[in-house]
Amino acid sequence: MTFDVVVLGATGFTGRLACEYLAQRAQKGDVKPVSWAMAGRDLQKLEGIKGELPEVAKEVPLLKVDVKKIEELKEIAKKAKVILNFAGSPYADKALPVVEACASNGCCYVDITGEAPFAKTSAELYDAKAKETKSLILHMCGFDSIPCDIAAFMVAKEMRKRYGMGCSKIRAAVLKTSVGVSGGTIYSGIHMLTTDQENAEAWKDPYGMDPPGGLRGPDRCDGGDTNLPRWDELNERWVMMSPLSNPSVRTVRRSNALMGYEYGQGLSYGEGMAVPGPVSGWLGTTAMGMVVLSLALFPTRWALQRWVLPAPGQGPSRKTLEEGYFTVRTVGRGEKEVDGKNPTVAAQVQSGSGGDPGYKCTALMAVESALCCALQRSACAEGGVHTPASGLGQTLVDRLNDAGMKLFVEP
């Protein structure tokens, strides 16, 4: 039997939400049917998760697979069009065999990692093989980093359409957000802070995820010009550095490189989180720095893990999942003047009915990314290790809008 999508890591917090989304999707009469399966190490746990899903999922197959056993993974890859991988926390020490299995067998791969070093290593090891087998490998397909990556794609595309030019500068601002936190996300962050990793420079170098031979632009940091609180003249508001910017900005810069610098060869790209003014920006930056320091130092990290932080597999309440939201606004400035000034184009990506950005809406974005590959393969990039924008582009924009999110270019 061949499956459109196999959900690997279905017993994890976001993996369970992805299974819920697929089951709820199947209840709608106006969508194309999808054949899917749940995969993981423990069939009993998988059975328990399936028992909590809508009745329409009662016949969904369960597949036993250990992510550390490459032969088992290859057998799954032979049966699937796409493996949607949630077996991370972190991905760095679990996911490379899954990528290998997919790249070797022409199966597409989607995950929600925010780990830039892992994504860099994946590209170095498996991009050539994936191109050969036409396997599309997609990292960063959740809140890290679809909203900003796709918004930049929309801005650059519209700039070309309206004015026939690329962008000299693009700035993204998270205007509003309400997001819960899970143990898996926290433990991935701790792993990056405390463990020696291959390609660790990828999260320090502003262009650390660029492909070989990439043309570096002017950016020195995640904010483009500076990581300090600053006035964003394109979004016309104060911003501070977003805790999610590290993988996101590198993903956007990689998208531009993979698409032949369609956004602009000398592009400066940066992100920030909107704040009421400079004082709140400095207070927020200081607080964020103290949290990072607390997680980096063993005594405070141990205390937080023991008494405060959720464990892997734990996450926000159902109320938080349903009521969460986000809005990302991205503005691009044209490379050349028109009637004496450089034109601007703005786009927004909103959660819409998607819910909590880090989990419920992340599950939606990841599933829809996988369905791009499973159901609309000819509309996606041919193969290789890609970003959401370079691999899926307008196909993903359309699917996310159809799924209840709101993605649009401002008039």
Side-chain angles (χ1 to χ4, degrees), residues 47-315:
E47 193 68 57
I49 298 299
K50 187 169 79 166
E52 298 172 359
L53 298 177
E55 183 70 15
V56 71
K58 67 178 182 178
E59 302 298 331
V60 169
L62 305 181
L63 308 176
K64 187 178 186 337
V65 61
D66 188 333
V67 295
K68 296 181 180 179
K69 296 181 179 179
I70 187 64
E71 292 307 318
E72 290 186 10
L73 290 168
K74 287 183 177 179
E75 285 303 309
I76 298 294
K78 291 175 183 177
K79 300 176 182 177
K81 293 181 181 178
V82 188
I83 291 181
L84 176 52
N85 183 22
F86 296 99
S89 303
Y91 280 87
D93 64 358
K94 299 180 184 70
L96 283 175
V98 189
V99 178
E100 179 186 352
C102 290
S104 300
N105 289 279
C107 174
C108 295
Y109 170 97
V110 172
D111 70 29
I112 59 168
T113 187
E115 302 163 40
F118 158 69
K120 177 73 168 179
T121 301
S122 170
E124 288 180 346
L125 294 177
Y126 301 115
D127 181 62
K129 186 65 177 178
K131 287 176 178 174
E132 177 187 324
T133 63
K134 294 181 171 49
S135 165
L136 185 54
I137 309 296
L138 297 167
H139 304 298
M140 314 285 186
C141 289
F143 196 42
D144 284 338
S145 301
I146 279 179
C148 291
D149 190 35
I150 287 295
F153 164 82
M154 293 165 65
V155 163
K157 180 180 178 182
E158 189 68 13
M159 184 69 75
R160 293 283 181 188
K161 178 182 175 182
R162 291 185 191 176
Y163 304 107
M165 68 177 76
C167 298
S168 61
K169 179 182 284 190
I170 296 177
R171 292 290 184 265
V174 181
L175 300 189
K176 55 183 179 179
T177 183
S178 173
V179 58
V181 179
S182 78
T185 297
I186 292 170
Y187 277 74
S188 291
I190 290 173
H191 183 270
M192 290 185 67
L193 286 171
T194 61
T195 308
D196 290 333
Q197 302 173 70
E198 186 175 1
N199 282 318
E201 72 280 359
W203 67 272
K204 301 173 185 177
D205 179 356
Y207 294 87
M209 281 175 53
D210 271 26
L215 303 175
R216 299 176 68 89
D219 295 320
R220 305 188 303 274
C221 53
D222 295 354
D225 306 309
T226 178
N227 283 341
L228 299 176
R230 60 201 178 276
W231 175 255
D232 179 346
E233 79 275 14
L234 292 183
N235 279 289
E236 298 182 317
R237 65 194 70 224
W238 281 92
V239 297
M240 61 171 276
M241 183 45 52
S242 166
L244 300 177
S245 288
N246 184 279
S248 185
V249 294
R250 285 154 184 75
T251 299
V252 173
R253 291 167 189 156
R254 178 175 173 84
S255 294
N256 189 29
L258 290 175
M259 296 170 73
Y261 298 95
E262 184 71 12
Y263 298 5
Q265 187 165 313
L267 174 71
S268 170
Y269 176 79
E271 294 178 12
M273 187 165 56
V275 290
V279 174
S280 55
W282 280 105
L283 289 174
T285 300
T286 302
M288 190 164 62
M290 292 175 66
V291 170
V292 171
L293 183 62
S294 297
L295 292 175
L297 297 176
F298 175 76
T300 48
R301 180 173 70 251
W302 179 85
L304 288 170
Q305 288 175 310
R306 173 125 178 118
W307 289 298
V308 179
L309 301 176
Q314 296 178 335

Side-chain angles (χ1 to χ4, degrees), residues 367-389:
V367 170
E368 293 298 340
S369 297
L371 294 180
C372 286
C373 300
L375 304 181
Q376 297 172 273
R377 186 68 185 88
S378 62
C380 307
E382 194 167 72
V385 179
H386 275 267
T387 64

